[in-house]
């Protein structure tokens, strides 16, 4: 790891209440530590502080813009950080939200096939030999399974369409007996009443009367208030679910 920039070390030290940055520089530059062990300690701390059976596991990804080709997982790919395709590294993150707080409890680096198909490149970057290609929904499913196995209490999972469109991801949540609120793309095909006929999600939403929709606020965003219109449908079957909810941003 490169030595942290002095200004960054000062900022971290001040945030932690230290008079000097020496301790932060030692942790970031010289200390030997196990990232997964730290993750485990943090996860247990969160469960002890505000873990509740009805908590929500929230999955999302983010990207860090990079220059060059040596950072693990870097390639030209879409990242919400820039809102377009850029040279970046993408990570999938698992958040935990309860009535008394929310925070991140796990993370995975997304390794594109351009990396996993090039074992020499992986070896040069320190990627273990047993790491193979995994989709973002597969990475998310792995984190959820690990969290539940570690005793993290949760009842729900929330994620955007990158995960909601994955039948395997949805099936895994049902196997864990978790409820879920997942976005799907407008072109996602839904089998009404569990039949063979499939209808696009946006068509189902368009056919609903105005009286079926209710507007709710999701709080302030970077571009102002965020309002969402939602309608509950109890006669639409997706996969093995007897009910589903439809929602659209306004």
């Amino acid at each position: 790891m490169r030595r942290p920039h002095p200004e960054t070390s000062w900022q971290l030290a001040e945030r932690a209440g230290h008079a000097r940055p020496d301790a932060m520089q030692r942790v970031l530059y010289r200390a030997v530590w196990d990232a997964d062990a730290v993750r485990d300690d943090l996860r247990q701390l969160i469960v002890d502080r505000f873990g509740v059976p009805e908590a929500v596991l929230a999955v999302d990804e983010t990207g860090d813009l990079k220059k060059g080709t040596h950072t693990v997982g870097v390639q030209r790919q879409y990242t919400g950080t820039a809102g377009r395709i850029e040279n970046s590294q993408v990570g999938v993150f698992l958040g935990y939200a309860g009535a008394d707080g929310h925070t991140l409890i796990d993370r995975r680096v997304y390794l594109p096939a351009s990396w996993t198909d090039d074992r020499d490149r992986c070896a040069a970057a320190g990627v273990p030999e047993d790491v193979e290609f995994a989709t973002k929904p597969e990475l998310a499913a792995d984190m959820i399974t690990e969290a539940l196995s570690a005793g993290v209490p949760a009842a729900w999972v929330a994620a955007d369409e990158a995960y909601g469109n994955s039948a395997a991801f949805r099936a895994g949540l049902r196997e864990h007996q978790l409820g879920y609120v997942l976005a799907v793309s407008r072109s996602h095909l839904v089998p009404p009443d569990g039949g063979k006929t499939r209808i696009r999600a946006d068509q189902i939403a368009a056919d609903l009367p105005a009286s079926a929709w209710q507007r709710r606020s999701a709080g302030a965003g970077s571009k102002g208030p965020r309002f969402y219109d939602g309608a509950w449908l109890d006669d639409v079957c997706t996969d093995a679910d007897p009910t589903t909810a439809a929602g659209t941003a306004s």
Side-chain angles (χ1 to χ4, degrees):
M1 180 181 292
R2 294 180 299 173
R3 181 183 295 275
H5 192 281
E7 183 178 345
T8 301
S9 298
W10 272 108
Q11 291 172 343
L12 291 173
E14 290 174 355
R15 183 73 175 178
H18 299 169
R20 294 184 54 79
D22 305 69
M24 288 296 174
Q25 289 181 335
R26 185 186 68 80
V27 169
L28 295 173
Y29 182 62
R30 292 187 295 274
V32 177
W33 56 295
D34 187 322
D36 287 341
V38 173
R39 183 272 317 274
D40 294 346
D41 289 345
L42 171 63
R43 189 168 55 195
Q44 189 58 53
L45 174 65
I46 297 307
V47 170
D48 293 342
R49 290 287 181 88
F50 55 83
V52 288
E54 63 273 17
V56 178
L57 295 171
V59 178
D60 202 1
E61 62 194 66
T62 190
D64 293 318
L65 302 184
K66 299 291 183 180
K67 295 182 179 179
T69 60
H70 298 296
T71 302
V72 175
V74 70
Q75 73 167 13
R76 286 189 60 79
Q77 55 192 324
Y78 177 83
T79 169
T81 304
R84 58 182 181 273
I85 295 176
E86 288 282 358
N87 198 59
S88 60
Q89 177 193 61
V90 172
V92 180
F93 296 85
L94 182 65
Y96 187 81
D100 296 325
H102 62 275
T103 189
L104 297 176
I105 60 172
D106 207 350
R107 79 285 174 253
R108 294 288 189 279
V109 173
Y110 171 66
L111 281 179
S114 63
W115 273 80
T116 55
D117 289 346
D118 189 341
R119 303 317 303 185
D120 290 338
R121 187 183 189 189
C122 286
V127 177
E129 292 184 4
D130 60 345
V131 174
E132 299 180 350
F133 175 75
T135 65
K136 294 168 187 174
E138 287 172 340
L139 294 175
D142 183 54
M143 288 190 290
I144 291 171
T145 298
E146 282 199 13
L148 296 176
S149 298
V152 175
W156 294 90
V157 172
D160 65 20
E161 65 185 58
Y163 307 90
N165 284 339
S166 170
F169 182 72
R170 298 192 305 270
L173 298 182
R174 291 194 299 275
E175 289 179 4
H176 288 305
Q177 297 185 328
L178 291 169
Y180 53 81
V181 179
L182 305 174
V184 295
S185 61
R186 64 178 62 235
S187 60
H188 186 78
L189 296 177
V190 178
D193 300 321
K196 294 182 178 180
T197 302
R198 295 176 179 269
I199 303 175
R200 283 173 55 115
D202 58 353
Q203 185 60 54
I204 293 176
D207 290 343
L208 293 174
S211 59
W213 298 92
Q214 295 186 33
R215 178 159 294 188
R216 293 289 185 267
S217 172
S222 60
K223 298 181 180 179
R226 298 175 299 170
F227 292 102
Y228 287 83
D229 294 335
W232 180 265
L233 308 179
D234 59 9
D235 60 350
V236 173
C237 177
T238 60
D239 300 323
D241 298 329
T243 60
T244 185
T248 181
S250 64

